Amino acid sequence: MSSGDSNPAATPIPCEDVQGDGRWMSMHNRFVSDSKGKEPDVLFVGDSLVQLLHEFEVWRKLFSPLHTLNFGIGGDATQHVLWRLSNGELDHISPKVVVVWVGTNNHGHTPEQICGGIMAIIDVINQHLSQAHILVLGVLPRGKSPNPLRERNKRVNTLVQDKLASVCYASFLDVDPGFVHSDGSISHQDLYDYLHLTPQGKIFLKQWF
Amino acid sequence: MSEEENPAAEPAPVQDVQGDGRWMSQHNRFVQECKDAEPEVLFVGDSMIQLMQQREVWRELFSPLHALNFGIGGDTTCSVLWRLQNGELENIRPRVVVLWVGTNNHEHTAEQVAGGILAIVRLLHTHLPKAKIIVLGLLPRGEFPNPLRDKNLAVNNFLRASLPRVGPVQFLDVSGGFVHSDGTISCRDMFDFLHLTASAYSKIATPLHELLLQLLEETPQERRASLV
């Protein structure tokens, strides 16, 4: 997977305002403005799994003390994050670490394409922030029972982990503490809608950070 | 507008386009909860309801009232109607039902959305004739003034006018204070200009909790009545 234009997951594109209240652009603009005014040591970027971290105790306890900015937007796929990072969200800041958590919303893309999208994101970050270390978090399993998306996400993680082995400025971190039980099920106590973390599920992130 | 003509009043399950069957899994879990639980209060609706359960305010104020939460993110009046007709009201006799839905009805006009909410209220009355119902008004959304704000306001106005005629239903508008004088909504209240932060949930929980306590006091428990 070399060419960006043949991979939809690696082709930067903003989210279209289909609903009519311009929320995605509002959030992007706020992040651009944040990056002009703030000096974070750590930057989180990605989808709702990143965004929701900010809304719970875990952020205040673990990440706020690290001077962290949260540029997560619910629903974002790799191509949206790529666009945001290429359009102002990385300007004027020099965090030491950038945490990337995205990929689960890339519906219709193959694991290879999604991996390509994530690698394109790492590329853009490295171009803007040559001093930063990038931490790519593994995409979590989803759905109450075994399903194709779990297989897809697993494959994405394998591909990304493989690729990152030869990248010195980035590493892969598997943050799944074992959400899938021996009977193949995921509990709503960990992922309340079988996709998003409960406050309890977020506690598992503690051990990684 | 009759329910037969209103697409927002047509029960319909959510199609599994993504491939992990999460909507049906959540519905099935709620049906199962109906078999085991004896809730006094039932919360039903979209993510505004669902996310409430992930906040401290649920543990502090609503859990102690023996409440069940049947919220699913993304739901419209159509999917809530379908869920309630397909098992989520079986075997339970809550004394109060809290309904919060409508902001995701993107294909429908304000009048249709209000009609869909009324259809849900009528369904609840049929299944739970002794229950009191609280319908929460739709919140404004988006950082700046936009058509969806106008639409949600219009839905609320339709509801205010038509709910009193439907029976023991309370319309509760908790939108006050979210839109500032310059027309903006702050990300401190709605982190994505749609969903509520913890502090915003605490703000709206107070009047809701007060109303719940009042209604619970007024509505006799069926168990007690049958002992007399």
Side-chain angles (χ1 to χ4, degrees), chain B residues 118-174:
Chain B
L118 284 166
I120 296 172
V121 171
R122 284 193 200 100
L123 178 78
L124 289 170
H125 274 323
T126 310
H127 276 259
L128 305 167
K130 301 209 171 90
K132 297 269 166 65
I133 299 167
I134 299 174
V135 173
L136 285 165
L138 302 188
L139 294 183
R141 48 187 288 173
E143 192 184 6
F144 304 108
N146 64 82
L148 291 189
R149 280 203 203 166
D150 303 328
K151 181 180 169 191
N152 285 1
L153 254 173
V155 171
N156 291 348
N157 288 335
F158 277 120
L159 290 175
R160 249 185 223 100
S162 40
L163 280 175
R165 288 181 244 136
V166 187
V169 191
Q170 302 269 349
F171 178 72
L172 184 62
D173 184 352
V174 291

Side-chain angles (χ1 to χ4, degrees), chain B:
Chain B
M1 154 170 331
S2 75
E3 280 170 27
E4 291 88 59
E5 299 159 358
N6 182 3
E10 268 175 42
V14 169
Q15 297 303 317
D16 178 27
V17 287
Q18 294 178 355
D20 55 7
R22 296 183 306 108
W23 189 86
M24 198 51 81
S25 295
Q26 291 171 83
H27 166 64
N28 289 336
R29 185 173 91 235
F30 298 156
V31 173
Q32 189 56 45
E33 283 181 41
C34 281
K35 298 191 176 124
D36 309 320
E38 285 178 16
E40 300 276 275
V41 186
L42 175 67
F43 284 72
V44 67
D46 54 29
S47 61
M48 307 304 293
I49 289 287
Q50 185 170 39
L51 289 179
M52 215 188 284
Q53 191 172 21
Q54 303 304 315
R55 300 290 188 186
E56 258 310 280
V57 75
W58 185 264
R59 203 185 54 84
E60 283 167 7
L61 295 182
F62 302 121
S63 227
L65 300 179
H66 302 289
L68 275 189
N69 188 309
F70 287 1
I72 299 186
D75 261 18
T76 62
T77 52
C78 306
S79 31
V80 169
L81 256 173
W82 188 93
R83 294 198 278 121
L84 295 177
Q85 286 179 354
N86 285 273
E88 289 185 21
L89 292 177
E90 298 292 311
N91 299 309
I92 55 171
R93 279 264 172 281
R95 289 192 278 147
V96 185
V97 180
V98 179
L99 175 64
W100 208 2
V101 68
T103 200
N104 297 320
N105 279 62
H106 296 298
E107 309 296 305
H108 308 133
T109 64
E111 201 182 349
Q112 289 171 333
V113 178
I117 293 169
L118 284 166
I120 296 172
V121 171
R122 284 193 200 100
L123 178 78
L124 289 170
H125 274 323
T126 310
H127 276 259
L128 305 167
K130 301 209 171 90
K132 297 269 166 65
I133 299 167
I134 299 174
V135 173
L136 285 165
L138 302 188
L139 294 183
R141 48 187 288 173
E143 192 184 6
F144 304 108
N146 64 82
L148 291 189
R149 280 203 203 166
D150 303 328
K151 181 180 169 191
N152 285 1
L153 254 173
V155 171
N156 291 348
N157 288 335
F158 277 120
L159 290 175
R160 249 185 223 100
S162 40
L163 280 175
R165 288 181 244 136
V166 187
V169 191
Q170 302 269 349
F171 178 72
L172 184 62
D173 184 352
V174 291
S175 61
F178 286 123
V179 179
H180 298 168
S181 51
D182 63 356
T184 63
I185 285 179
S186 164
C187 62
R188 285 186 226 285
D189 287 326
M190 296 184 187
F191 62 86
D192 60 354
F193 307 109
L194 172 61
H195 296 107
L196 300 173
T197 57
S199 59
Y201 263 120
S202 298
K203 260 189 262 181
I204 64 139
T206 309
L208 176 57
H209 184 245
E210 273 171 25
L211 182 56
L212 268 172
L213 289 180
Q214 184 191 317
L215 293 179
L216 284 168
E217 218 178 304
E218 290 169 8
T219 320
Q221 280 179 312
E222 285 192 38
R223 280 195 301 270
R224 258 191 232 136
S226 65
L227 285 173
V228 172

Side-chain angles (χ1 to χ4, degrees), chain A:
Chain A
M1 191 55 56
S2 48
S3 162
D5 6 66
S6 58
N7 180 4
T11 309
I13 188 166
C15 214
E16 221 191 309
D17 179 25
V18 286
Q19 295 178 355
D21 53 10
R23 296 181 306 108
W24 191 88
M25 199 51 82
S26 289
M27 289 184 267
H28 166 65
N29 288 337
R30 188 173 89 243
F31 296 159
V32 172
S33 151
D34 277 351
S35 85
K36 289 191 182 125
K38 308 203 173 155
E39 287 176 16
D41 287 329
V42 183
L43 173 68
F44 275 71
V45 69
D47 53 30
S48 58
L49 287 167
V50 170
Q51 186 170 38
L52 288 175
L53 283 178
H54 186 266
E55 298 309 309
F56 292 90
E57 263 304 279
V58 70
W59 190 265
R60 208 180 53 80
K61 287 207 182 106
L62 284 186
F63 303 122
S64 263
L66 301 176
H67 303 287
T68 311
L69 274 189
N70 185 311
F71 287 1
I73 297 186
D76 264 16
T78 54
Q79 62 272 24
H80 306 123
V81 171
L82 198 52
W83 188 92
R84 294 198 279 120
L85 297 179
S86 310
N87 285 271
E89 288 183 17
L90 294 180
D91 299 354
H92 314 292
I93 52 173
S94 34
K96 302 193 181 92
V97 182
V98 181
V99 182
V100 177
W101 206 9
V102 67
T104 202
N105 296 320
N106 277 67
H107 299 296
H109 299 157
T110 65
E112 288 73 19
Q113 288 173 326
I114 301 172
C115 174
I118 292 172
M119 296 311 293
I121 289 171
I122 292 168
D123 219 25
V124 165
I125 295 171
N126 183 248
Q127 279 168 35
H128 278 84
L129 309 169
S130 54
Q131 308 300 316
H133 188 82
I134 303 165
L135 203 54
V136 178
L137 302 187
V139 194
L140 291 180
R142 49 186 288 174
K144 177 166 195 270
S145 317
N147 64 81
L149 292 188
R150 281 202 204 164
E151 297 314 308
R152 182 202 69 177
N153 286 1
K154 233 195 289 191
R155 181 91 185 114
V156 168
N157 292 345
T158 304
L159 291 171
V160 171
Q161 190 163 14
D162 243 20
K163 283 250 147 88
L164 290 187
S166 48
V167 179
C168 55
Y169 51 82
S171 9
F172 177 83
L173 187 61
D174 180 1
V175 290
D176 177 7
F179 284 136
V180 180
H181 298 169
S182 50
D183 65 354
S185 71
I186 284 180
S187 164
H188 66 278
Q189 316 262 31
D190 292 324
L191 300 177
Y192 62 85
D193 58 354
Y194 311 109
L195 173 62
H196 295 105
L197 294 163
T198 58
Q200 185 183 325
K202 289 180 220 300
I203 286 166
F204 289 113
L205 293 177
K206 253 196 203 169
Q207 60 182 293
W208 296 109
F209 291 95

